[in-house]
Amino acid sequence: MKYFLAIVGGGPAGYTAAEIASKAGKDVVLFEQNALGGTCLNVGCIPTKSLLYGAKQYYNASHAQKYGVTAENVAFDFAAMQKRKTIVVRKLVAGIKQRLNNEHCTVVSGQAKVLDNIRQFWRIECNGVEYEAEHLMICTGSTNFVPPISGIKDNPAVWDSTDALAATELPQSMVIVGGGVIGMEFATLYHELGVPVTVIEAMPTILPNLDQEVVQVLLDKYKKAGINILTQTKVESIDGNTVHYSSLSSEEGRGEVSAERILVSVGRRANLQGLEALEGLELNRGAIVIDEFCQTNLPKVYACGDVTGKIMLAHVASRQAEVAVEHMLHDQMVNVQMVNYNAIPSVVYTNPEIASVGLTEVQAESMGISVEVRKLPMTFSGRFMAENEGETGLCKMIVDSRTGTIVGVHCIGNPCSEFIAAASCAVRNGYTLSDFQQVVFPHPTVSEILHELL
Ligand code: NAD
């Protein structure tokens, strides 16, 4: 059988593409070597959020007194949290399987290998069987990057994010190398469950790509809560359970810190296994180069998701998949909407959460945009006050001062992840302050902080 589309990788990019193309009546085959859902569903977004929610419940119960609730002997059962996480993941994976079955998509469980292109059909081998497809979509994702630091390899004390998610017992103490998104989410999880945590970050600040005024709110809270955060600090080597580091800010010199577990979370790299036969496939820093419709430089070969190294987020992957499939379905007509990389929301699930979309003040200024920055503490929202006793937060809106267009929104404060989509709409559609002013926000909700800024 000849397929219209063969997809390698069943994460958010792959399964979204498979569902859309199958729904459009096309014959689709999808290859997945592990579980459907990819990193996001199995060892990323969903399991992390399940465990973080457990930790947050524990945190809230332990701090219930500030709401006039007395809870004695508050405790948690880590094994039960893990069990619940596994059930959540299992149900969601089954849901994807069901959806693809409903659309009559062929799902092949195994490691696919692209062989060649013969008479304009891509040949792919999996489990000893050959498949042919007119279009090929590479959605092979990414894996944890292992930096060339001596003492990481084969060290049982060292974890990557997958190990940190699968832990059966809480460690006595933890060092996290890398204060990026993964590092700070795990710092939150383990700290809230009572594990002493040290974060080591090479840059002058944690979460270096985010608005730093927003990050400062988190830093202040986490430092006060006892998370040890060392910035401008480079890990030199790891020896068993001890991390040796040197400070990049001259005076402080060298030091070491020991912990039962050392989580290394210093970024991820594109997965290119099984694609060796795609001679001439253009790469940039180990990721597949794509155009605005997610086409690679090879004919009828698309790539979506982390493997493109664009922005490693599940919702970027699924949006890329929508664009790519639209493009191939319409025989590459150019009226397909492209991915708007300027309006991609992102969330860091710390406590409080950080959510942002669009340009930061620094980015806008470096692009020569003259900006007006509007900001308010979250406590301007009545709902925030009602539900976040003793907490602080901040919401910033970055406006192009020449046109009044909203180019970015950055917030910290629960539950900003739930309303950043409203800000994404504004940035995506080029709303001016007065356009956004006409949008009615429900009262009382924390989202009203956006309206307060207009
Ligand atoms: P990251 O790039 O976000 O952060 C890695 C951090 O490690 C950086 O701050 C970097 O300066 C630091 N670093 C690098 N080498 C170091 C060293 N030797 N010593 C100390 N610090 C060092 O990468 P990540 O946190 O591993 O996340 C990987 C990808 O997964 C990211 O693209 C992220 O956006 C995505 N992700 C997203 C979410 C979410 O959306 N909530 C959650 C998890 C992961």
Side-chain angles (χ1 to χ4, degrees):
M1 174 168 173
K2 286 193 161 124
Y3 291 89
F4 171 78
L5 171 62
I7 302 169
V8 185
Y15 71 71
T16 304
E19 193 176 7
I20 303 173
S22 304
K23 242 188 190 130
K26 301 294 183 187
D27 291 319
V28 178
V29 57
L30 180 145
F31 304 95
E32 172 53 59
Q33 59 186 356
N34 296 315
L36 281 174
T39 299
C40 168
L41 223 67
N42 295 286
V43 287
C45 323
I46 299 300
T48 325
K49 266 79 264 178
S50 303
L51 290 178
L52 275 167
Y53 191 71
K56 197 187 265 184
Q57 295 296 80
Y58 174 63
Y59 177 91
N60 287 343
S62 311
H63 293 78
Q65 213 160 16
K66 59 186 182 178
Y67 299 104
V69 176
T70 311
E72 281 168 11
N73 303 322
V74 177
F76 64 86
D77 176 348
F78 190 59
M81 286 183 182
Q82 286 285 19
K83 194 170 163 198
R84 178 181 164 270
K85 172 205 83 177
T86 306
I87 293 169
V88 170
V89 168
R90 204 178 290 148
K91 281 185 183 165
L92 289 169
V93 170
I96 290 175
K97 203 170 180 183
Q98 189 59 50
R99 278 160 64 167
L100 295 182
N101 274 348
N102 292 348
E103 301 304 337
H104 309 291
C105 170
T106 305
V107 177
V108 181
S109 189
Q111 189 169 43
K113 194 172 162 203
V114 179
L115 299 176
D116 48 26
N117 186 304
I118 292 183
R119 288 182 291 279
Q120 304 195 344
F121 275 84
W122 290 100
R123 278 196 323 133
I124 298 123
E125 182 271 326
C126 189
N127 303 330
V129 179
E130 283 180 15
Y131 300 81
E132 286 187 299
E134 189 183 343
H135 300 89
L136 174 65
M137 189 184 277
I138 304 164
C139 306
T140 45
S142 63
T143 42
N144 287 309
F145 173 60
V146 182
I149 295 174
S150 91
I152 289 188
K153 230 174 148 235
D154 301 325
N155 182 342
V158 172
W159 272 354
D160 63 14
S161 60
T162 307
D163 302 318
L165 276 173
T168 49
E169 282 175 19
L170 284 179
Q172 293 294 311
S173 53
M174 194 165 187
V175 170
I176 298 178
V177 181
V181 187
I182 293 183
M184 293 317 296
E185 290 187 2
F186 278 107
T188 305
L189 173 67
Y190 282 99
H191 164 75
E192 287 191 348
L193 296 179
V195 177
V197 173
T198 296
V199 177
I200 301 180
E201 167 58 53
M203 299 293 280
T205 169
I206 55 164
L207 301 167
N209 298 327
L210 299 185
D211 180 283
Q212 285 306 306
E213 209 176 344
V214 159
V215 170
Q216 193 59 44
V217 175
L218 185 76
L219 258 179
D220 290 346
K221 180 179 173 186
Y222 276 17
K223 283 191 169 170
K224 218 162 125 192
I227 302 182
N228 183 22
I229 298 177
L230 307 174
T231 50
Q232 271 196 293
T233 301
K234 188 171 164 245
V235 172
E236 297 291 351
S237 62
I238 298 175
D239 181 7
N241 294 76
T242 304
V243 179
H244 299 274
Y245 60 80
S246 62
S247 171
L248 300 171
S249 61
S250 53
E251 310 90 46
E252 312 219 353
R254 291 167 184 277
E256 60 179 50
V257 54
S258 297
E260 188 183 340
R261 295 289 175 194
I262 300 156
L263 167 65
V264 176
S265 51
V266 294
R268 297 179 62 85
R269 292 291 178 274
N271 261 338
L272 299 170
Q273 293 95 327
L275 308 174
E276 295 77 7
L278 284 174
E279 272 174 32
L281 179 67
E282 192 185 349
L283 303 180
N284 181 19
R285 292 151 144 228
I288 299 177
V289 175
I290 52 168
D291 69 6
E292 64 271 41
F293 300 115
C294 305
Q295 295 181 106
T296 70
N297 63 320
L298 301 181
K300 298 196 176 183
V301 179
Y302 292 75
C304 298
D306 285 9
V307 75
T308 67
K310 282 271 189 190
I311 305 176
M312 290 193 181
L313 295 173
H315 45 281
V316 172
S318 45
R319 176 68 193 133
Q320 287 177 328
E322 287 169 2
V323 169
V325 173
E326 250 329 80
H327 191 252
M328 66 182 80
L329 286 177
H330 293 92
D331 213 13
Q332 311 185 3
M333 296 291 283
V334 280
N335 60 352
V336 174
Q337 286 287 327
M338 297 177 278
V339 181
N340 184 341
Y341 292 102
N342 298 326
I344 303 291
S346 73
V347 176
V348 189
Y349 293 86
T350 42
N351 187 11
E353 301 167 346
I354 296 176
S356 51
V357 62
L359 300 175
T360 62
E361 199 176 336
V362 174
Q363 288 164 340
E365 279 165 356
S366 73
M367 290 164 72
I369 299 173
S370 88
V371 295
E372 179 199 347
V373 180
R374 296 185 167 207
K375 56 184 163 190
L376 278 176
M378 281 286 188
T379 45
F380 264 65
S381 150
R383 176 80 180 274
F384 183 84
M385 285 295 280
E387 296 184 355
N388 292 273
E389 185 61 42
E391 300 284 344
T392 52
L394 177 68
C395 187
K396 288 177 76 172
M397 193 173 273
I398 315 299
V399 182
D400 181 333
S401 56
R402 285 164 304 188
T403 59
T405 309
I406 299 161
V407 295
V409 173
H410 309 273
C411 352
I412 179 164
N414 292 334
C416 60
S417 62
E418 287 301 336
F419 63 81
I420 196 66
S424 302
C425 262
V427 174
R428 161 71 180 76
N429 295 314
Y431 281 8
T432 60
L433 291 169
S434 76
D435 291 331
F436 209 18
Q437 173 71 43
Q438 289 163 48
V439 176
V440 178
F441 286 75
H443 177 77
T445 59
V446 184
S447 70
E448 285 173 291
I449 194 71
L450 296 172
H451 209 240
E452 294 284 348
L453 283 166
L454 301 172

